[in-house]
Structures are given as C-alpha cells and as structure tokens.
Amino acid sequence: QVQLVQSGAEVKKPGASVKVSCKALGYTFTRNYIHWVRQAPGQGLEWMGIISPSDGTTGNAQKFQVRFTMTRDTSTSVVFMELSSLRSEDTAVYYCARGGVLGELSWLDYWGQGTLVTVSS
Amino acid sequence: QSVLTQPPSVSGAPGQRVTISCTGSSSNIGAGYDVHWYQQLPGTAPKLLIYGNTNRPSGVPDRFSGSKSATSASLAITGLQADDEADYYCQSYDSSLSGSVFGGGTKLTVL
C-alpha cells in the first residue's frame, strides 16, 4: 500500500538548517508530485512547495522562495526538504504529501506521518 | 490571514447536518480551480475527504459531500457522529500566488 515515511523529530538552534526526508513506498515514485505542508502548533496548514520526482523541478510558495529547497533521490525513492536560517516561527510539524499529475492544482491523497521541527536556543 | 476563508468553528448535535464554507476570490475558486477538503483528527496527519469539488475517495462515507459555486465551496456532513469531531481544511490553487493554498481551518464540535 502507498506510504510516505518521514524522518524523525529535530531540534535546531536559530540560524541553523534542517533537512527532512520522505520515503515513498508502494507506488511508482516518479509518477506523482510530492508536496510539503507545514503546521505550526495550534495553527492551520500552510503549503510550502512541490517537487516532481520525475525530473526534479520544483515550485515554492512565495513565502519560501529563498530559504526552502527540495531535492529527490530516485534510486531510493526519497524526497528531501531543507529549510535554512531557522527562526522560532519555523517550529512546526512538516508533512510531505503525494499529489496527482496536475502539480499544484492536485489534491493530496497520501500524507506522511509528519516531522516535528523545534527551533529553540 | 488565509487566502481561503473558513469559519473558525461550527458545531452540531449527533445526527444533525452541518456545513463548512470556504470563500475565495477571482484568483482561486472564482477562476475555476478545483477545491479539495481534508479532515484532521487530533494529533494525526490530514486525510483527504473530498477532491475535485465533489468527489469522495474510496472509503469516505457518503455522509460527506462537497459543492462549489462562484467564489466559494462548501463541505456538508450529514448524520453527524462523535468521531467527526476534527479540524477541516479546504485547499485550492491561487493563480496570483502561483501555488496551492489552504483555508484557515474549521474546528467541528459534536455537541
């Protein structure tokens, strides 16, 4: 069955970077876009960006144009997201989610379990 | 401030019907982009509830239905049950932001 398995929780200091992985299982990795969505404590969902596992092209939300990078490794079916220059406001649960072939227009049908990133001095 | 506006909370008694609205603008829902809905139970990842405005994924009960009109969309839940208590989010695409957007979320309380 389709699963997205994310790496474990991270604690980082302000100004540092964090890299979170998302391993895709149970389907052909290159067929579906992967989205990243975050949720600050007690807050709503915030779309961050999208990557095509097929060719590696990415699209970021305007808010994350500079500090947010997505990559993929087709040999292991893993997508990575990296957020740099962390600040306390980046404390959140980060989710990867599988999208359809319509890119940013698609719904998200499978979600990872989430990775809590805590930014604290 | 979310691009898609949802009421912060709605409530209903078991067995009743509730609706959750999602109001957008001419750059998202009003431009014809589809709306999708998610249910997030406490402490869990969101789950797809409705896609393409009105479609239910396999396994989602037909008590859940979606509709769309002009610049807004709605999620209706009939025969309310205690385990429907959750946060609900709408999602669409916004052409001025060139990306996907979520509503602010609505907390459903079953009285």
Side-chain angles (χ1 to χ4, degrees):
Chain A
Q1 72 280 23
V2 175
Q3 288 185 74
L4 297 175
V5 181
Q6 298 183 224
S7 50
E10 302 264 11
V11 179
K12 295 292 182 180
K13 293 195 183 301
S17 296
V18 68
K19 192 169 186 177
V20 177
S21 67
C22 170
K23 184 172 178 62
L25 299 166
Y27 72 98
T28 302
F29 178 62
T30 52
R31 282 193 184 163
N32 294 75
Y33 287 86
I34 293 290
H35 299 240
W36 287 93
V37 176
R38 77 176 185 180
Q39 186 170 35
Q43 302 300 308
L45 303 174
E46 181 174 32
W47 186 80
M48 299 179 70
I50 184 173
I51 182 169
S52 165
S54 176
D55 62 9
T57 56
T58 61
N60 293 13
Q62 291 176 3
K63 177 177 178 180
F64 300 103
Q65 290 290 345
V66 176
R67 300 191 295 133
F68 181 58
T69 304
M70 293 167 284
T71 55
R72 96 286 191 217
D73 182 343
T74 55
S75 68
T76 56
S77 299
V78 177
V79 170
F80 301 92
M81 79 89 174
E82 185 167 16
L83 190 62
S84 61
S85 302
L86 289 169
R87 29 206 192 232
S88 58
E89 311 89 88
D90 294 318
T91 293
V93 175
Y94 290 76
Y95 294 102
C96 62
R98 191 182 83 160
V101 298
L102 300 178
E104 293 94 330
L105 279 70
S106 284
W107 55 92
L108 308 177
D109 59 358
Y110 289 92
W111 294 64
Q113 82 275 21
T115 297
L116 174 62
V117 174
T118 303
V119 183
S120 173
S121 54
Chain B
Q1 195 80 354
S2 301
V3 171
L4 303 178
T5 302
Q6 298 181 233
S9 63
V10 297
S11 63
Q16 284 191 333
R17 177 182 187 269
V18 296
T19 61
I20 298 172
S21 61
C22 175
T23 303
S25 66
S26 58
S27 62
N28 41 69
I29 300 175
Y33 296 111
D34 285 344
V35 178
H36 320 299
W37 291 91
Y38 302 87
Q39 176 193 60
Q40 187 177 32
L41 298 170
T44 68
K47 168 192 167 186
L48 179 65
L49 208 56
I50 298 287
Y51 67 94
N53 306 314
T54 60
N55 303 291
R56 283 186 310 276
S58 173
V60 173
D62 59 6
R63 299 187 299 106
F64 295 90
S65 63
S67 63
K68 178 189 165 188
S69 175
T71 57
S72 68
S74 289
L75 172 71
I77 310 172
T78 59
L80 211 53
Q81 300 177 0
D83 57 7
D84 294 334
E85 194 159 282
D87 293 323
Y88 292 84
Y89 294 90
C90 60
Q91 178 211 1
S92 187
Y93 176 82
D94 190 281
S95 57
S96 62
L97 296 175
S98 298
S100 188
V101 289
F102 285 97
T106 298
K107 182 175 181 59
L108 168 63
T109 300
V110 180
L111 302 170

